[in-house]
Amino acid sequence: MEQKEQWSSKLGFILAAAGSAIGLGAIWKFPYVAGTSGGGIFLLIFILFTLLVGLPLLIGEFIIGRSTQKDAIESYKELAPNSSWHFIGRLGIFTCFILLSFYSVVGGWILIYIYKGFTGALNGLTEVQYGTLFGETISSPFLSIFGQFLFMAITIYVVSRGVTAGIEKASQFMMPALFILFLLIIIRSLTLEGSMKGLEFFLNPDLSKITSDTILFAMGQSFFTLSVGVSVMVTYSSYLSKKESIPQSAISIVVMNILVAVLAGLAIFPAVFSFGLKPDAGPVLLFNVLPTVFNQIPFGIVFLLAFLILFLFAALTSAFSMLEIIVAVLAKGDDSKRMKYSWIIGLLIFVVGVPSALSYGVWSDVLIFKKSIFDAADYLVSNLLLPLGALLIAIFVPMKISKERLVEEISSGSSVGKKIFATWFLLIKYLVPVVIVIVYLDVLGVFDYFLK
Ligand code: PHE
């Protein structure tokens, strides 16, 4: 059997898995989707999905990965030999491919902003000027493609050199630093005039704002931020030693993730309302709002740069995981192949992502189902492919892994597992699949049809 390289410590694994989870999803995507989908009510539904649906799935993926110590396809083959269940892994690989193609576009925006920060171009503008600057940046074909390329090149380089090498070490410093900077922005944001309206928007759930889309987006968002449904967490936990507790790791990742999303919302919404901006500005929200907040802090540009660098780091650690799962399947532990496939796949992803990069500029009038290419790719991943992968995993785990094996995996490493096993099993076997199916029926209008 191939013996996998293992994480050097439990903390290393948690940091790397949390690194995959915490990224653009919580920091950039969560605030703007909350902004377009009803604010407080979205936050509430997002948290419910994350705890009741996302967490059981995360534990499920950890069990698949750690019990087999194999990659996203071989693990399913081992647990369900001579069947087609490994389709789940293939679907996850396809999803990560598309996901990274537009994820890298946003990564590119961050890189360009870091560069602009160093050249002084981000100093002392007004909120309108920041908006214009960002609009110009992302609509420039050269800048956006170049940024995207650079982001992919860094991702490829790190993944091509193997999994544990640098990621763990860097995470230990970067994550706590990100928390601290968030606190700083939040303090400033909350002390701006008129900021309380933003707090109210973000924290006070208004039930009348619930729509089918709010629920669908909250579900997609919870999968997106936790990196579940695509077998990334299967791959990462295949490097995890048997001594560690799966539920403890999963719970800490979920808690950190919710915390970062809430911090991002607290940083952004008070400022949005104080500056008289619109919360539903979409993907540009964070880039328009945060520089203005930093501008109101003494030495703000230094903090802004620090924030952008940490933000980049968070995006990169997620991007690594997306490329890692594909390369792990292709290279099968052979280092020379790892190098080769990282570059081939990474460059292919870059090419496939170019239309997304152009969709804020020269190709902004190309629409797919009334959405820009970028938004369409995101919709496909977040609202269709991730839930489909999640549904299949929720069916697979209770059906194809024996109860004894599940109990053993969940309880090895700590006593927590035994206590939560029954609840977890009920959630993953019944609640998770039922909820996903109901959300879809709702989106398809089935309930409206019968309620009419
Ligand atoms: N969770 C990551 C983020 O929030 C995105 C991601 C999704 C990464 C799926 C890997 C797999 O940015």
Side-chain angles (χ1 to χ4, degrees):
M1 205 189 94
E2 58 188 295
Q3 190 44 51
K4 289 274 196 147
E5 145 185 42
Q6 296 201 332
W7 300 103
S8 57
S9 66
K10 172 177 170 189
L11 190 66
F13 165 74
I14 294 189
L15 286 171
S20 166
I22 297 166
L24 296 178
I27 303 171
W28 157 83
K29 192 165 182 234
F30 172 79
Y32 87 73
V33 183
T36 47
S37 311
I41 189 66
F42 182 85
L43 172 65
L44 183 68
I45 303 178
F46 164 76
I47 292 179
L48 287 177
F49 269 116
T50 305
L51 293 176
L52 297 175
V53 180
L55 176 59
L57 281 164
L58 186 59
I59 295 179
E61 286 203 26
F62 282 170
I63 291 178
I64 299 174
R66 213 237 333 239
S67 68
T68 58
Q69 313 255 304
K70 292 200 166 130
D71 66 41
I73 291 181
E74 292 302 320
S75 55
Y76 293 97
K77 283 194 181 156
E78 179 179 310
L79 292 166
N82 305 320
S83 72
S84 312
W85 283 102
H86 56 90
F87 169 76
I88 303 180
R90 296 189 195 278
L91 178 74
I93 286 176
F94 174 72
T95 309
C96 282
F97 192 99
I98 305 289
L99 175 53
L100 188 50
S101 79
F102 68 85
Y103 206 91
S104 52
V105 173
V106 185
W109 298 348
I110 307 175
L111 280 168
I112 299 167
Y113 255 47
I114 292 178
Y115 172 76
K116 282 194 192 287
F118 277 112
T119 62
L122 299 180
N123 288 0
L125 308 182
T126 64
E127 58 255 28
V128 177
Q129 286 169 326
Y130 279 118
T132 317
L133 179 71
F134 187 63
E136 282 168 7
T137 307
I138 62 176
S139 60
S140 149
F142 169 75
L143 276 184
S144 49
I145 293 179
F146 180 69
Q148 185 210 2
F149 176 78
L150 211 60
F151 184 86
M152 277 313 298
I154 302 172
T155 306
I156 295 169
Y157 178 75
V158 173
V159 171
S160 72
R161 309 208 46 177
V163 81
T164 55
I167 311 178
E168 277 179 53
K169 280 189 215 104
S171 297
Q172 307 205 6
F173 304 101
M174 305 291 251
M175 287 290 171
L178 189 68
F179 276 94
I180 294 171
L181 265 184
F182 258 129
L183 291 181
L184 177 76
I185 322 170
I186 292 170
I187 293 171
R188 187 63 193 108
S189 190
L190 282 175
T191 47
L192 290 166
E193 213 182 300
S195 61
M196 287 306 132
K197 271 203 228 101
L199 205 58
E200 156 100 20
F201 173 80
F202 182 52
L203 294 182
N204 195 3
D206 177 352
L207 289 176
S208 68
K209 288 190 185 152
I210 300 190
T211 63
S212 305
D213 269 354
T214 317
I215 299 172
L216 175 68
F217 284 123
M219 182 171 82
Q221 180 65 25
S222 74
F223 296 159
F224 191 103
T225 48
L226 281 182
S227 311
V228 295
V230 282
S231 306
V232 157
M233 292 304 190
V234 170
T235 309
Y236 267 24
S237 56
S238 72
Y239 308 116
L240 182 64
S241 121
K242 296 271 180 203
K243 291 192 293 277
E244 312 303 350
S245 158
I246 284 181
Q248 272 177 358
S249 306
I251 291 169
S252 51
I253 290 166
V254 164
V255 170
M256 272 193 261
N257 212 354
I258 295 181
L259 194 66
V260 173
V262 171
L263 290 178
L266 288 176
I268 288 180
F269 289 113
V272 167
F273 281 78
S274 161
F275 299 143
L277 301 171
K278 292 251 174 321
D280 59 356
V284 297
L285 186 68
L286 178 136
F287 291 89
N288 285 350
V289 175
L290 285 193
T292 320
V293 181
F294 279 110
N295 202 19
Q296 315 259 344
I297 300 175
F299 306 107
I301 187 71
V302 179
F303 292 119
L304 174 60
L305 268 170
F307 174 79
L308 286 171
I309 290 169
L310 294 170
F311 185 28
L312 174 71
F313 180 77
L316 279 170
T317 51
S318 302
F320 298 156
S321 71
M322 295 173 216
L323 186 59
E324 169 65 28
I325 148 176
I326 310 180
V327 171
V329 161
L330 294 170
K332 296 204 169 36
D334 177 338
D335 279 345
S336 61
K337 287 193 185 149
R338 166 174 281 278
M339 190 64 105
K340 180 175 95 191
Y341 284 119
S342 305
W343 284 97
I344 296 178
I345 301 295
L347 290 176
L348 265 177
I349 292 176
F350 160 69
V351 173
V352 170
V354 165
S356 292
L358 295 179
S359 77
Y360 281 93
V362 284
W363 283 4
S364 59
D365 47 356
V366 182
L367 298 183
I368 306 173
F369 293 109
K370 298 200 193 124
K371 291 183 187 334
S372 68
I373 303 173
F374 181 100
D375 286 340
D378 178 24
Y379 192 94
L380 173 70
V381 166
S382 307
N383 299 333
L384 296 169
L385 296 174
L386 289 180
L388 177 62
L391 177 63
L392 292 173
I393 290 172
I395 298 172
F396 178 84
V397 170
M399 196 163 131
K400 288 288 159 188
I401 310 180
S402 69
K403 233 178 174 164
E404 295 74 57
R405 194 160 181 181
L406 290 175
V407 174
E408 185 195 312
E409 276 301 330
I410 216 173
S411 38
S412 92
S414 96
S415 58
V416 186
K418 278 218 167 59
K419 291 190 200 120
I420 65 155
F421 180 80
T423 318
W424 169 78
F425 193 73
L426 280 179
L427 291 177
I428 194 152
K429 182 158 184 187
Y430 300 106
L431 187 90
V432 174
V434 169
V435 164
I436 297 177
V437 170
I438 291 182
V439 171
Y440 272 102
L441 293 177
D442 180 38
V443 170
L444 293 171
V446 174
F447 300 120
D448 299 340
Y449 180 80
F450 285 110
L451 290 175
K452 245 188 238 157

